[in-house]
Amino acid sequence: MEIFAQRVKELRKERKKTQTEMAQYLKIGLRAYQYYESATNYPNIPGLLKLADYFEVTTDYLLGRSPERK
């Protein structure tokens, strides 16, 4: 799911947040967050929902199921 990694990275950069800040927000380790952006691992469902809420997008957008953010 390369699209997930691309979208999370793009959204993070739009908000001018660092990977460290995102990891702290999600209450996970920095390396775990970096895995999200490298498409190595993915968040669990609560983590996915937290990302969608933070970036104010739908989970379908994050997962590449919709081109619409809202």
Side-chain angles (χ1 to χ4, degrees), residues 47-63:
L48 179 66
L49 294 172
K50 200 166 186 178
L51 281 169
D53 289 345
Y54 180 80
F55 291 126
E56 299 177 342
V57 298
T58 65
T59 55
D60 280 349
Y61 176 77
L62 286 176
L63 296 173

Side-chain angles (χ1 to χ4, degrees), residues 34-46:
Q34 289 171 333
Y35 284 146
Y36 296 172
E37 288 193 10
S38 67
T40 302
N41 277 337
Y42 304 98
N44 57 19
I45 292 173

Side-chain angles (χ1 to χ4, degrees), residues 10-46:
E10 174 186 308
L11 290 165
R12 175 181 60 81
K13 287 184 173 190
E14 284 177 13
R15 292 266 176 128
K16 297 183 172 128
K17 296 294 180 184
T18 65
Q19 289 180 335
T20 300
E21 290 170 323
M22 292 305 303
Q24 290 170 344
Y25 172 76
L26 294 168
K27 296 182 174 37
I28 60 174
L30 173 59
R31 193 71 191 131
Y33 181 80
Q34 289 171 333
Y35 284 146
Y36 296 172
E37 288 193 10
S38 67
T40 302
N41 277 337
Y42 304 98
N44 57 19
I45 292 173

